[in-house]
Amino acid sequence: MFRLALRTLPLFAVIASIAVALGAYMNFSGVRNAYLELIQSRLGIIAEDIEKDILSAVNLGIPITEQVTLSGVLNRLAATDKSIVGIEVIGPDGATLFASDRPTGVTPPKTYDLRRSILNDFGASIGSVVVRYDSNVMARQIDQFADQVAKAAIPAGLCAMLLGGLAALFIIGRLHRRARDIAEGHGRDAIGEAERALAGLEERVAGDA
Amino acid sequence: MHSIQLRLSAALVAILLVALSFLSWQTANRAESFLLPEVEQKADTVGRSISSLVGRALEVGVPLDDLRGIDGYFGRILSSNEDFTGIALVAPDGRVLYSTGSIDVAANQNVVRLPVGDSAKPSAEIAIGLDPGFARTIVYKLWIDLAIVMFVTALVALELVHISFGAGVYGAIEGVENRVHAIRHHDLRQHPDVDDAGTFGQLAAMIDRRLRAVVERYQALLRWSEDNAARLADQLRELKARYRLGETSAPSTTMAALAVRAPLFVFMFAEELTRPFLPIYIQQLASPIPGLSPTFVISLPMVVFLAIVALTQPVLGGLTERYGRRRSLVLGAALGALGFCASAFATDLISLTLARAVSAVGFALVFVGGQGFVIDNTSTSQRARGLAIFIGAILVAGLCGPPIGGILADRLGIRGAFLVAAVVAALSLLLAMICIPNVPGHRPTGAPITRRDFVNTLKSPKLVALFFFCAMPAKIILVAFCFFLVPLQMKDIGHDQATIGRMLMIYPMAMVLLVPSFAALADRWKQRVGFVAGGGLVAGLAALLVLIDAGSLFTIGAMLLLLGIGQAMSIAPQSALVGELGRELPEPVGDGPLYGIFRLIERTGNALGPAIAGFLLGLYGFSTTVVLIGLMMALGALIFTITVFTIRSSRGEKSLPQVGDQPV
């Protein structure tokens, strides 16, 4: 009986662990997406502010290439977050027009880049703003969070497997008990009732004979 | 459905509910410390942006208490940042000058403050309230997806539970359960023998011995009663009526046929995973073809897939019989996996179409091989039950696949989801190797469909009406709506693939729940024609709902629900009517060829579905296309009804003869 219940364990283990793994992944990816969206949104606001500054100056007749104060603005904005590796204003030909200062003597890390086109009043692109964010910071944070979710998922998965096995044992054991009672004629059941009814009739037949 | 399966699945759901709740609670706790610093940083950035704008206004001399339009500006920021509760502009004396949303500017926690102008002597202060429950909201929003995971897991457990025991042991458990259940309900009928030497096999044999002993005593008394002028006859009749003594219960599902369910279900699940994102993927890869509308171009890989499935099935029936069902299922699953892999790496429409063509051959092999396996392993009396197992596996896969496929596509991307489908198809290959016995093939025994069969069948106006005005439009509308139009429309109105997948559950759910009831009602009321016509009308007229609001999820969901109800009404009576009307043919056509022709016409409808939808979508847009296809379906149902009743009345018939269920 116990062996029989154990046969259900592999299936329950596989199904429960897949379900818990999928659930854990969904939890993780839902929060990770929210985290990435927060960063994208923040970088988007920075890029939008720079775009507004540039367009204000363009509207006053200062071409983008001549907005020399932009470097200072870019430095100031880049300094607000140490994970921002750099901010650049790129011309329509792809050349970098202005950029925040890069730390010297440091290998530039891999970056996640948010790019926003700068469109003039006619909808034509006059350049773009690129905000570069340190990918390693993002990856480190996400990895830490993934570890935390995994630490919760592993015991949950193991418990689910164990409980699944016990549930299978209980359900099959219950059926086995009921079937054994009927097979061995313990307790009251319909067969017993029919047997008693037949015995009554048999007695009458014997009496008649 | 056996209660042991249900109990095991219910136990699994309960356990998963606890495990996933715990996981979700833990994630929510950790997400808070993970997301909150980022929310604060973002609030800081937004605050600087607002501060800079207000600072500029003050620099040009606009008074602080006369900043026009700032409420609207704050409102726009707030509506696009659900992690903020409110924004306020506070004067140096602490007065709140402008405020949107809910914010306590005096609070120490969950408020980010930024000065306007000189930070040493600010002209004002921007305060942004943070939502402390933001992380929890993110995690709790995932509960819809988690609930789907649990639901699908329970269905998968239901489908696969017999694998863990093995067919023999599972058959014994089911046999014992049937006996226990029957005896608890005072049903002492004999049961078919259980072929298992294990614990449950022995228990079944012991119960059978007790039942046999009772029956033997009853029969002895019955014989005595017959020999003795019917004395005791009333009591014996009463006993028989009460306990059904001397009767034998109907044979349960053949265990041999059950072997195909797991590999079939898993393979179909792999294919169904692609439903929510396939048209979107095709759209991404498609490039314009001169002379064809972009939407028609999008339909082409689907048309190729469904056309191959339709056209190869008649040929593959004989081939799988000759080369062995197991080999066909294994080869089909391998081709399916290969096709999914190739789809994941497709770079353009042509490579995707080729990949889908490979998948289509795999699909047809698995479908035909599986169906043939059921037929090989069931007697005529078990055939309908065996085929119900087969259809059930496909329907349940249709219910489980789309929501999971949508979730996977959202999280892993479409290519990643295709790779998962390939892994699942490969798993079905393994299951086919494990579950299906290796029986060598033999010469095809079934009569092939001949031209004469076609001619004889199409001589019947009723059958022509049933095939071309009910069965074919039913498949056109199903494929056009569920596989093509709805996913594209939902994507256009901005929904993600997980939502599309959830939406695509509605149709199969209606089918799974309602088909058995409608089939039973149609038979009980002897109204198969009525159910076929009524179902066609319901399904077709459901399309008119899009005229209310084609951009509303509720409308699309209601349309799919009514489509499911309509199809559930008509699908089983339609199959039964084929045999029924076939018996009226002046020159008889065998059931095999007759149903072969019926399925071929149905599958042609499948292949036409996306082509018609793609063509119309390019010309008229979503709403008109849906309405036109729906009206075509409804009109078809009307023509069928008129044809059946006209011919019936012209021959003076009172009603159609009713026959037993035919394979569905």
Side-chain angles (χ1 to χ4, degrees), chain A residues 1 4 7-8 11-12 15-16 19-20 22-35 38-39 41-42 45-46 49 52-53 56 77 80-81 133 141-142 145 148-149 151-153 155-157 159-161 163-164 167-168 171-172 174-176 178-186 189-199 201-202 204-205 208, chain B residues 4 7-9 11-12 15-16 19-20 22-24 26-27 30-31 33-35 38-39 41-42 44-46 48-49 56 73 81 83 134 138-139 142 145-146 149 153 156-157 160-161 163-166 169 173 176-177 179-180 183-184 186-188 199-200 203 206-207 210-211 214 217-218 221 224 231-232 235-236 239 242-243 245 404 407-408 410-412:
Chain A
M1 187 54 230
L4 190 62
R7 290 177 78 154
T8 56
L11 177 83
F12 269 61
I15 294 179
V20 172
L22 191 56
Y25 179 72
M26 279 160 50
N27 271 309
F28 161 71
S29 67
V31 176
R32 183 195 58 185
N33 287 350
Y35 172 74
L38 281 171
I39 292 179
S41 163
R42 182 153 61 87
I45 293 163
I46 293 172
D49 278 352
K52 276 182 196 159
D53 283 348
S56 300
L77 288 170
T80 57
D81 182 349
Y133 195 84
Q141 295 278 357
I142 289 170
F145 181 68
Q148 290 174 346
V149 174
K151 274 177 191 153
C159 285
M161 279 163 56
L163 287 174
I171 291 165
I172 294 166
R174 194 156 162 256
L175 176 66
H176 184 268
R178 283 184 177 173
R180 198 185 52 208
D181 286 348
I182 293 173
E184 293 174 355
H186 299 319
D189 61 38
I191 301 179
E193 281 174 23
E195 281 170 344
R196 280 190 292 280
L198 288 168
L201 294 177
E202 283 164 351
R204 277 178 59 187
V205 169
D208 285 358
Chain B
I4 191 97
R7 283 187 190 138
L8 286 169
S9 296
L12 192 62
I15 290 160
L16 284 179
L20 293 177
F22 168 77
L23 191 61
S24 196
Q26 287 281 320
T27 309
R30 283 166 181 151
S33 55
F34 178 57
L35 292 179
E38 201 48 51
V39 174
Q41 286 244 36
K42 187 177 138 187
D44 189 75
T45 307
V46 170
R48 280 174 203 280
S49 175
R56 250 182 270 172
Y73 174 62
N81 293 282
D83 38 335
F134 174 66
I138 295 281
V139 175
L142 298 169
D145 286 347
L146 292 179
V149 167
T153 304
V156 171
L160 302 184
V161 75
I163 295 177
S164 63
F165 295 110
V169 177
I173 293 175
V176 166
E177 196 194 11
R179 284 160 174 77
V180 170
I183 291 166
R184 281 164 66 88
H186 293 86
D187 174 357
L188 301 186
T199 317
F200 277 90
L203 280 174
M206 285 165 74
I207 295 173
R210 273 193 83 196
L211 286 170
V214 169
R217 285 170 69 184
Y218 163 76
L221 283 168
W224 184 89
R231 290 175 63 195
L232 301 180
Q235 287 95 325
L236 288 171
L239 270 181
R242 187 164 179 209
Y243 297 111
L245 288 170
I404 297 290
I407 290 169
L408 289 172
D410 262 1
R411 304 287 197 277
L412 304 175

Side-chain angles (χ1 to χ4, degrees), chain B residues 50-384:
Chain B
I50 299 171
S51 163
S52 140
L53 188 74
V54 173
R56 250 182 270 172
L58 297 182
E59 274 170 23
V60 296
V62 180
L64 191 59
D65 53 2
D66 196 20
L67 293 169
R68 301 223 175 138
I70 200 155
D71 290 321
Y73 174 62
F74 282 179
R76 283 194 298 279
I77 293 174
L78 198 60
S79 64
S80 57
N81 293 282
E82 56 179 337
D83 38 335
F84 299 161
T85 58
I87 306 173
L89 180 63
V90 185
D93 59 4
R95 274 182 304 128
V96 176
L97 298 172
Y98 306 92
S99 158
T100 302
S102 143
I103 180 169
D104 177 6
V105 292
N108 290 325
Q109 278 190 325
N110 297 321
V111 175
V112 169
R113 293 187 183 80
L114 274 305
V116 177
D118 183 4
S119 56
K121 197 184 170 204
S123 322
E125 195 176 65
I126 304 293
I128 298 177
L130 309 182
D131 179 5
F134 174 66
R136 278 183 194 278
T137 312
I138 295 281
V139 175
Y140 294 154
K141 269 186 189 168
L142 298 169
W143 260 99
I144 298 171
D145 286 347
L146 292 179
I148 285 170
V149 167
M150 279 190 287
F151 175 71
V152 170
T153 304
L155 287 175
V156 171
L158 271 176
E159 288 299 317
L160 302 184
V161 75
H162 65 272
I163 295 177
S164 63
F165 295 110
V169 177
Y170 183 75
I173 293 175
E174 196 183 290
V176 166
E177 196 194 11
N178 286 340
R179 284 160 174 77
V180 170
H181 182 264
I183 291 166
R184 281 164 66 88
H185 289 84
H186 293 86
D187 174 357
L188 301 186
R189 279 182 295 172
Q190 306 274 29
H191 294 263
D193 287 341
V194 165
D195 184 21
D196 178 59
T199 317
F200 277 90
Q202 287 168 11
L203 280 174
M206 285 165 74
I207 295 173
D208 285 349
R209 274 197 293 277
R210 273 193 83 196
L211 286 170
R212 253 197 312 274
V214 169
V215 171
E216 280 165 11
R217 285 170 69 184
Y218 163 76
Q219 281 169 343
L221 283 168
L222 200 61
R223 276 195 300 274
W224 184 89
S225 170
E226 282 163 3
D227 295 344
N228 289 276
R231 290 175 63 195
L232 301 180
D234 286 345
Q235 287 95 325
L236 288 171
R237 224 184 340 265
E238 194 188 318
L239 270 181
K240 180 179 166 56
R242 187 164 179 209
Y243 297 111
R244 306 181 73 174
L245 288 170
E247 294 177 33
T248 304
S249 68
S252 61
T253 311
T254 162
M255 283 300 132
L258 203 59
V260 81
R261 183 141 181 162
L264 180 74
F265 166 75
V266 173
F267 183 84
M268 293 298 165
F269 179 69
E271 179 58 36
E272 293 292 337
L273 285 174
T274 66
R275 292 276 175 255
F277 56 79
L278 182 62
I280 296 163
Y281 189 50
I282 301 171
Q283 196 176 35
Q284 287 171 4
L285 293 180
S287 46
I289 297 179
L292 297 178
S293 75
T295 49
F296 185 72
V297 171
I298 295 169
S299 74
L300 289 178
M302 298 174 88
V303 173
V304 168
F305 180 95
L306 293 164
I308 289 175
V309 171
L311 297 174
T312 54
Q313 282 192 24
V315 185
L316 289 176
L319 278 178
T320 63
E321 207 169 352
R322 189 184 296 275
Y323 293 107
R325 309 295 191 188
R326 181 176 186 262
R327 207 180 280 175
S328 309
L329 280 159
V330 168
L331 178 64
L335 286 175
L338 181 70
F340 290 131
C341 269
S343 299
F345 295 107
T347 50
D348 54 24
L349 194 69
I350 292 171
S351 55
L352 179 65
T353 307
L354 287 174
R356 292 299 293 157
V358 173
S359 284
V361 177
F363 183 94
L365 271 169
V366 171
F367 189 94
V368 174
Q371 186 170 271
F373 181 83
V374 172
I375 290 168
D376 293 348
N377 287 282
T378 47
S379 61
T380 315
S381 64
Q382 292 171 321
R383 188 70 41 83

